[in-house]
Amino acid sequence: MPEGAGQPYRLILSDMQTKNTLTWVASLSLLAAPAWAAQPVPVSSAASPAKPGASATSSQPALTLAARPMPRATTPAAETFELQQLLELAQTTNKGVEAAQANVDAATAAITTARAYPNPQVEVMYGRLHGKEAGVPSGNAPSYAFVQKFDYPNQRSLRERMAGRGLEATAAQRQTFRAELASRVKTAYFQVLRRETELAAAREDLNLMRQIQERAKVRVDVGEAPRYELIKADTELLAAQKTLQTAELRVAQAKNSLRQQVGGSMPADFALQGSLSNTPAVPDLAVLRDTLQANNAELAQRRSELERAQLGVDYQRSLRWPEVAVRAVTDRQPDNNVNQIGLVMTIPLWDRRSGPVGEATAQATQARTALEAREFELTQELSNAYQQYEITQAQVTALESGIVREAESALGVAEAAYRFGERGILDYLDAQRVLRNARNELITAQYELQVAAIQIEKLMSATPGAPTGAAPSMPVSPNLN
């Protein structure tokens, strides 16, 4: 054979070995994928596959519905809950609510204690009288005494008013806990909706990547595209499978967190009704500040504690007055009886209650300072939450009205160009990745908008689902779409 005659055969053999090696690597990658990667995708979320060379007008782009509100991934469950049901269930079954109610019951009993009258004291003394002189009889000589302490009217009134302010502070503390519980339940609820929406998007991405991988395989088999397109499609398919698995785990984690906040009475298997796009309408910042001063339970608690501390100063000063008690005594002697009645008075000569009065004054100053500091902090928190609400609302509007739709249009153009062979698979995958990122940003922005509204509602001490005494929740605005 002439020199160089075997060169074509060596090139063909080398090309065949390279193709076999790449095919083996791609096959090994697909075999290494977990078994969950092959789970079916709902037909409603699937895009119809397009064959190479098909007309661009004969089928819609693969992700035409991606710019619309994403459906949530739901599974058959024993029971379905709405947000209001979860709030009511949490307010009635959460153990923290029972503990807060127990504190209110204790403060109510403290009022009864403050109203109680001092108990009387009874003394019984027994003895014998022995006469040492003639004519003095001997015999038993018991003695009985009765002592009743009296309260000054202003002292009794101060004690009762202090107990009443304590009850108000405890009730406000219970209201604060209920508002925080409602905030945690709502945050966990929307976290589940967010994760379920991300799961539905991950399933749709996986379905699309399967179509892209099948299309790339056909193009490679017929020789219209190089083999690296199939390898790239296989890699993206594995990444989509991993994203789906992560989304499933996050859904389970979010549901466990929601069940933890609601209480043990919530079943382990459940589903939710609702949407991330329904956001409460928030009033103007000036109105919210006035509502904060009037309705915030923590501020009401601190005001009651300040009034109680100020009453404590007056009460300690009133204890400087002499204590008065009535004492009645009767002595039974063998030959006569002696009856006496009089007053027992404690004179504040050495102890003028300077220490307790100073302590009460310092506690009142501390309570006033804490109230002023907390008012400033809550006002700043409200301003920050309102600004965050405006920022996230602008992000949601921009993503819904422009960015996601533009990314969808770009994907449609890239798909048509790839179908006709004008662009490679990298351009197609890049357009699909841009749309996926924009859609995920929209889901995150919708969730953060809900969290900002929940934070504002928490500062208003609104507790939807509370049995009694709850501030009304903010109205729900129509869909932002």
Side-chain angles (χ1 to χ4, degrees), residues 286-447:
V287 177
L288 290 175
R289 287 174 178 171
D290 295 338
T291 307
L292 174 69
Q293 294 292 332
N295 294 349
N296 186 269
E298 186 175 357
L299 292 181
Q301 174 187 352
R302 293 186 180 274
R303 293 190 186 103
S304 298
E305 291 176 350
L306 175 59
E307 294 179 6
R308 181 182 181 183
Q310 292 173 345
L311 292 173
V313 175
D314 296 337
Y315 180 73
Q316 292 298 331
R317 288 173 177 172
S318 68
L319 293 180
R320 291 175 175 176
W321 298 354
E323 297 180 359
V324 179
V326 175
R327 180 180 177 87
V329 180
T330 177
D331 292 334
R332 303 294 184 181
Q333 298 180 3
D335 56 347
N336 55 18
N337 296 330
V338 179
N339 297 322
Q340 295 177 334
I341 188 172
L343 296 177
V344 178
M345 181 175 295
T346 301
I347 301 176
L349 183 60
W350 312 117
D351 184 9
R352 295 288 299 170
R353 308 288 300 180
S354 299
V357 171
E359 292 179 4
T361 303
Q363 291 176 357
T365 303
Q366 181 182 9
R368 183 177 61 258
T369 304
L371 172 61
E372 294 174 355
R374 192 54 182 159
E375 284 180 346
F376 177 76
E377 291 175 358
L378 290 177
T379 302
Q380 296 304 312
E381 289 181 12
L382 177 61
S383 300
N384 294 336
Y386 190 82
Q387 292 176 359
Q388 182 65 25
Y389 177 84
E390 291 183 330
I391 292 173
T392 52
Q393 190 177 39
Q395 292 177 350
V396 170
T397 303
L399 288 167
E400 288 180 341
S401 60
I403 299 177
V404 176
R405 294 181 181 178
E406 292 295 333
E408 178 191 13
S409 301
L411 178 62
V413 173
E415 180 185 11
Y418 175 69
R419 186 183 300 116
F420 287 110
E422 298 177 359
R423 292 290 186 272
I425 192 174
L426 294 180
D427 295 332
Y428 189 14
L429 293 177
D430 185 66
Q432 194 268 344
R433 188 179 300 107
V434 170
L435 176 60
R436 179 171 62 248
N437 293 337
R439 183 183 52 197
N440 291 337
E441 289 181 3
L442 175 60
I443 296 173
T444 303
Q446 288 177 339
Y447 170 74

Side-chain angles (χ1 to χ4, degrees), residues 249-284:
L249 295 176
R250 286 177 176 175
V251 168
Q253 186 180 23
K255 285 189 173 182
N256 290 336
S257 178
L258 176 60
R259 188 169 181 264
Q260 178 183 0
Q261 297 298 333
V262 173
S265 60
M266 190 175 182
D269 186 17
F270 64 91
L272 298 180
Q273 292 182 356
S275 174
L276 282 174
S277 58
N278 294 331
T279 308
V282 176
D284 294 336

Side-chain angles (χ1 to χ4, degrees), residues 443-454:
I443 296 173
T444 303
Q446 288 177 339
Y447 170 74
E448 292 178 352
L449 182 62
Q450 294 286 352
V451 172
I454 292 172

Side-chain angles (χ1 to χ4, degrees), residues 114 152-164 310-318:
Y152 291 103
N154 64 330
Q155 291 181 350
R156 180 180 174 82
S157 175
L158 287 172
R159 285 202 310 267
E160 185 175 353
R161 291 167 61 187
M162 290 171 58
Q310 292 173 345
L311 292 173
V313 175
D314 296 337
Y315 180 73
Q316 292 298 331
R317 288 173 177 172
S318 68

Side-chain angles (χ1 to χ4, degrees), residues 123-191:
E123 297 179 4
V124 178
M125 304 294 292
Y126 180 79
R128 289 186 60 83
L129 177 63
H130 299 279
K132 296 183 179 180
E133 298 179 359
V136 177
S138 301
N140 296 329
S143 175
Y144 306 97
F146 177 84
V147 181
Q148 176 63 58
K149 180 182 176 181
F150 290 98
D151 281 339
Y152 291 103
N154 64 330
Q155 291 181 350
R156 180 180 174 82
S157 175
L158 287 172
R159 285 202 310 267
E160 185 175 353
R161 291 167 61 187
M162 290 171 58
R165 297 302 179 271
L167 176 60
E168 293 176 359
T170 307
Q173 185 178 9
R174 179 189 59 183
Q175 181 75 2
T176 301
F177 178 82
R178 286 180 172 177
E180 292 178 352
L181 176 62
S183 174
R184 295 196 303 267
V185 170
K186 294 187 71 174
T187 302
Y189 167 83
F190 286 109
Q191 180 75 353

Side-chain angles (χ1 to χ4, degrees), residues 62-272:
L63 285 183
T64 304
L65 300 179
R68 303 178 186 176
M70 284 295 302
R72 295 187 296 107
T74 58
T75 56
E79 191 171 358
T80 302
F81 292 91
E82 296 180 352
L83 177 58
Q84 188 64 26
Q85 291 177 319
L86 295 176
L87 293 172
E88 294 176 356
L89 189 62
Q91 295 292 339
T92 55
T93 62
N94 189 278
K95 297 301 180 182
V97 176
E98 296 181 6
Q101 182 61 41
N103 292 334
V104 174
D105 296 339
T108 304
I111 296 180
T112 304
T113 302
R115 293 173 177 173
Y117 290 96
N119 291 323
Q121 297 179 357
V122 177
E123 297 179 4
V124 178
M125 304 294 292
Y126 180 79
R128 289 186 60 83
L129 177 63
H130 299 279
K132 296 183 179 180
E133 298 179 359
V136 177
S138 301
N140 296 329
S143 175
Y144 306 97
F146 177 84
V147 181
Q148 176 63 58
K149 180 182 176 181
F150 290 98
D151 281 339
Y152 291 103
N154 64 330
Q155 291 181 350
R156 180 180 174 82
S157 175
L158 287 172
R159 285 202 310 267
E160 185 175 353
R161 291 167 61 187
M162 290 171 58
R165 297 302 179 271
L167 176 60
E168 293 176 359
T170 307
Q173 185 178 9
R174 179 189 59 183
Q175 181 75 2
T176 301
F177 178 82
R178 286 180 172 177
E180 292 178 352
L181 176 62
S183 174
R184 295 196 303 267
V185 170
K186 294 187 71 174
T187 302
Y189 167 83
F190 286 109
Q191 180 75 353
V192 174
L193 296 185
R194 173 191 180 183
R195 297 308 183 188
E196 289 180 346
T197 306
E198 292 176 347
L199 177 59
R203 289 178 178 174
E204 183 175 345
D205 291 339
L206 178 60
N207 180 72
L208 177 61
M209 288 310 307
R210 284 174 178 166
Q211 297 176 23
I212 295 176
Q213 192 270 346
E214 293 175 359
R215 187 177 303 168
K217 186 176 183 301
V218 173
R219 289 171 60 90
V220 171
D221 291 341
V222 299
E224 295 182 359
R227 184 165 294 276
Y228 84 88
E229 289 195 2
L230 180 58
I231 298 176
K232 183 63 177 177
D234 292 339
T235 304
E236 293 292 336
L237 178 61
L238 292 176
Q241 292 169 351
K242 181 180 179 181
T243 302
L244 178 63
Q245 183 188 35
T246 304
E248 291 175 342
L249 295 176
R250 286 177 176 175
V251 168
Q253 186 180 23
K255 285 189 173 182
N256 290 336
S257 178
L258 176 60
R259 188 169 181 264
Q260 178 183 0
Q261 297 298 333
V262 173
S265 60
M266 190 175 182
D269 186 17
F270 64 91
L272 298 180

